[in-house]
């Protein structure tokens, strides 16, 4: 049976929105360099593994995207996100044996660095005998963890970091990443924790120069960013295990919105989090159940990402096994 | 003679815009703490000096302000500015003998730190024998300068750093700073290098919760931020020496815009800079002349802020002398 006309129309609309978005986007800089790094990373992690079928690879997206309002960008609409969720999750994914592609907003939190103060360089060090520098005792442990663990992950080829700023960069990079990820089938996971702009100004509609401030009202009209989650699931990497996030400030609508996103974008799970409690608990919404995950409050340094990544890793393993059986 | 009615009307409009802005702004956190630090800083630097009349004090503003679109801020309009100009100028003001109040955007460039890479902590250090950390040789000098010089300036009471993010925080803090600065008369300078939002959404007009993304077009209407430069010159600190900046991407309109700002806001000088050449040269526009200031290209590490701050410091000295004669 053919899909009803309404659904066909929707697909055609989405396809044309996606085409309009990518046609409008300014070309990505360093594209060849990114592709080369990615291919190398995925090859490397597909060879070596305990079970001989290659390591699981997750793409963690983190931080907020910007939507420029001017081509020579002075003003832009930004989506607030510290990147704490993505950075912390990356640490637990590495611990769970994954290789991680960390697609992050420039300046957002980095894995292993979240115990450091806002401006670590100026706060963690002090001058010593006038001319030398030394680590302040209070930050000694956090600083060692940050630098030693971070460098170890990068040096061992288990962590690949790729930065973005604009929504144009983010979605182009996500598409590029999905190509080699498609080739590894169900071993790939997308963990889409970035706060992605819902609206953007098409590049060609933007004024080239700075918007002048003569008038009393600035009226900015933004159009909707096409729902790339659908495209990722349907075309870019159909076998990858896909997790998206739903953040709301209003807890009354959160679970319904999460369930809606699960069905609409055909995700394997949606992590529902409310702004004020997001570091304490989240709800993992799947087609069959809703699982509340909480950090262990008896341990001062436990994170909600600890049980969350354990759960998702188990589900991903089960998904890989299922895929083998149905192949 | 009375001012013509038109001008009175304009003033009344500005007064009511200013009132509306501050009435709308969410109250500043840590206000008492900021006031206490400020008063201490200005007192300290008013006692000690070579000439017995107290040190000159400059308030350098730096980085861009944000205009939130939601009360529980997820989305906001941001003004791009790295804060490089403000951070570099602060170093040269300190060298010229000023005490500096550095009012900066969280996460923007800090004085003495501009030779460091984007993510200094992870790029400047390396793991050493597995468990310790050491400075990478290539960054050794830049890192020592950053930490030693920065801490020396703060510890000696010559540098006070105050961070902001939103336009509401920025303008409230500028008003608070102007109170003790007013008391020191012409010894005070304002060097307003921050990229301040021209438009904002009044706090009471904002939705409390996250804007929902159901519709295809997001239409954001922002109103003009009142021209606080006028208020600063007229009411907040009428004797302070005031420098503002004009940044344009279109060089054809730059000097006219700078001259316009000089007259409109009654500045002592406007520094005109074009986005693409701003690190090489600027034009200082005063009522009498236009002076092009360039960095010394024969020296690899010279900055345009070096001759710029020398020029402004001379002009400020002349202004202080003038004020004595006319008192």
């Amino acid at each position: 049976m053919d899909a009803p006309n309404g659904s066909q129309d929707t697909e055609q609309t989405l396809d044309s929105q996606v085409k309009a978005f990518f046609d409008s986007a300014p070309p990505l800089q360093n594209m060849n360099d990114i592709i080369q790094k990615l291919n190398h990373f995925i090859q490397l992690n597909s060879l070596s593994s305990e079970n001989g079928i290659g390591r699981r690879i997750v793409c963690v997206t983190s931080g907020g995207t910007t939507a420029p309002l001017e081509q020579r960008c002075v003003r832009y609409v930004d989506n607030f996100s510290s990147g704490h969720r993505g950075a912390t999750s990356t640490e637990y994914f590495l611990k769970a044996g994954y290789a991680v592609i960390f697609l992050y907003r420039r300046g957002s939190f980095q894995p292993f660095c979240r115990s450091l103060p806002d401006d670590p360089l100026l706060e963690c060090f002090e001058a010593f005998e006038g001319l030398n520098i030394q680590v302040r005792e209070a930050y000694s442990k956090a600083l060692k963890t940050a630098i030693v663990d971070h460098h170890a992950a990068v040096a061992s080829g288990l962590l690949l970091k790729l930065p973005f700023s604009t929504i144009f960069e983010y979605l182009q990079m996500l598409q590029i990443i999905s190509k080699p990820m498609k080739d590894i089938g169900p071993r790939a996971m997308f963990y889409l924790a970035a706060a992605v702009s819902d609206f953007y100004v098409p590049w060609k509609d933007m004024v080239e120069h700075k918007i002048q401030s003569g008038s009393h009202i600035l009226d900015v009209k933004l159009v909707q960013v096409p729902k790339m989650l659908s495209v990722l699931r349907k075309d870019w990497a159909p076998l990858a295990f896909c997790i998206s996030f739903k953040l709301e400030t209003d807890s009354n609508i959160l679970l319904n919105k999460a369930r809606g996103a699960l069905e609409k974008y055909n995700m394997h799970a949606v992590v529902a989090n409310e702004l004020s409690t997001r570091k304490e608990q989240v709800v993992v919404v799947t087609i069959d159940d809703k699982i509340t995950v909480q950090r262990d409050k008896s341990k001062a340094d436990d994170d909600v990402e600890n049980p969350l990544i354990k759960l998702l890793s188990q589900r991903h393993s089960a998904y890989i096994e299922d895929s083998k059986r149905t192949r």
Side-chain angles (χ1 to χ4, degrees), chain A residues 17-37:
Chain A
Q17 282 172 354
V18 170
K19 189 175 180 313
F21 179 87
F22 282 114
D23 284 352
S24 149
L28 201 59
Q29 289 179 342
N30 319 322
M31 188 159 77
N32 290 334
D33 183 42
I34 295 171
I35 292 174
Q36 210 175 342
K37 277 185 190 164

Side-chain angles (χ1 to χ4, degrees), chain A residues 41 90 94 99-102 111-112 150 153-154 156-161:
Chain A
F41 183 83
T90 294
L94 289 166
V100 183
I101 300 164
F102 184 61
F112 306 109
H150 182 277
V154 173
S156 62
L158 290 173
L159 175 60
L160 175 65
K161 306 207 306 174

Side-chain angles (χ1 to χ4, degrees), chain A residues 35 48 66 80 84 96 105 133 141 169 181 189 197 214 216 229 233 247 251 253-254 267 274 292 302 304:
Chain A
I35 292 174
S48 58
T66 65
F80 171 75
H84 192 277
R105 165 70 179 274
I133 55 172
K141 189 163 165 281
E169 290 171 342
M181 288 286 265
M189 187 198 288
S197 315
H216 286 292
L229 290 186
R233 280 290 290 132
L247 173 73
S251 61
I253 60 172
L254 177 60
M267 293 287 108
E274 208 239 298
T292 300
D302 194 44
V304 66

Side-chain angles (χ1 to χ4, degrees), chain A residues 199-259:
Chain A
F199 297 95
Y200 76 110
V201 182
W203 195 253
K204 62 178 169 28
D205 292 356
M206 274 179 224
V207 290
E208 184 188 346
H209 290 296
K210 194 179 155 194
I211 295 167
Q212 293 302 315
S213 61
S215 59
H216 286 292
I217 299 267
L218 178 69
D219 190 351
V220 184
K221 289 193 173 63
L222 301 102
V223 304
Q224 203 161 26
V225 173
K227 298 299 180 188
M228 296 294 182
L229 290 186
S230 303
V231 189
L232 175 68
R233 280 290 290 132
K234 196 164 60 74
D235 301 326
W236 292 356
L239 293 179
F241 193 65
C242 280
I243 316 295
S244 72
F245 283 74
K246 200 78 204 171
L247 173 73
E248 293 291 338
T249 57
D250 183 351
S251 61
N252 297 319
I253 60 172
L254 177 60
L255 287 182
N256 280 341
K257 300 280 288 186
R259 179 82 199 183

Side-chain angles (χ1 to χ4, degrees), chain A residues 249-311:
Chain A
T249 57
D250 183 351
S251 61
N252 297 319
I253 60 172
L254 177 60
L255 287 182
N256 280 341
K257 300 280 288 186
R259 179 82 199 183
L262 184 83
E263 289 169 7
K264 190 168 172 190
Y265 308 124
N266 197 17
M267 293 287 108
H268 297 97
V270 173
V271 181
N273 48 148
E274 208 239 298
L275 192 61
S276 60
T277 59
R278 69 192 191 283
K279 290 189 182 172
E280 297 299 319
Q281 71 163 49
V282 297
V283 181
V284 178
V285 179
T286 69
I287 203 74
D288 301 315
D289 44 23
K290 276 184 264 188
I291 305 164
T292 300
V293 175
Q294 289 181 307
R295 74 176 195 91
D296 183 347
K297 284 174 194 164
S298 70
K299 294 178 195 150
D301 62 350
D302 194 44
D303 305 292
V304 66
E305 288 80 3
N306 182 10
L308 173 63
I309 303 309
K310 272 190 192 133
L311 175 67

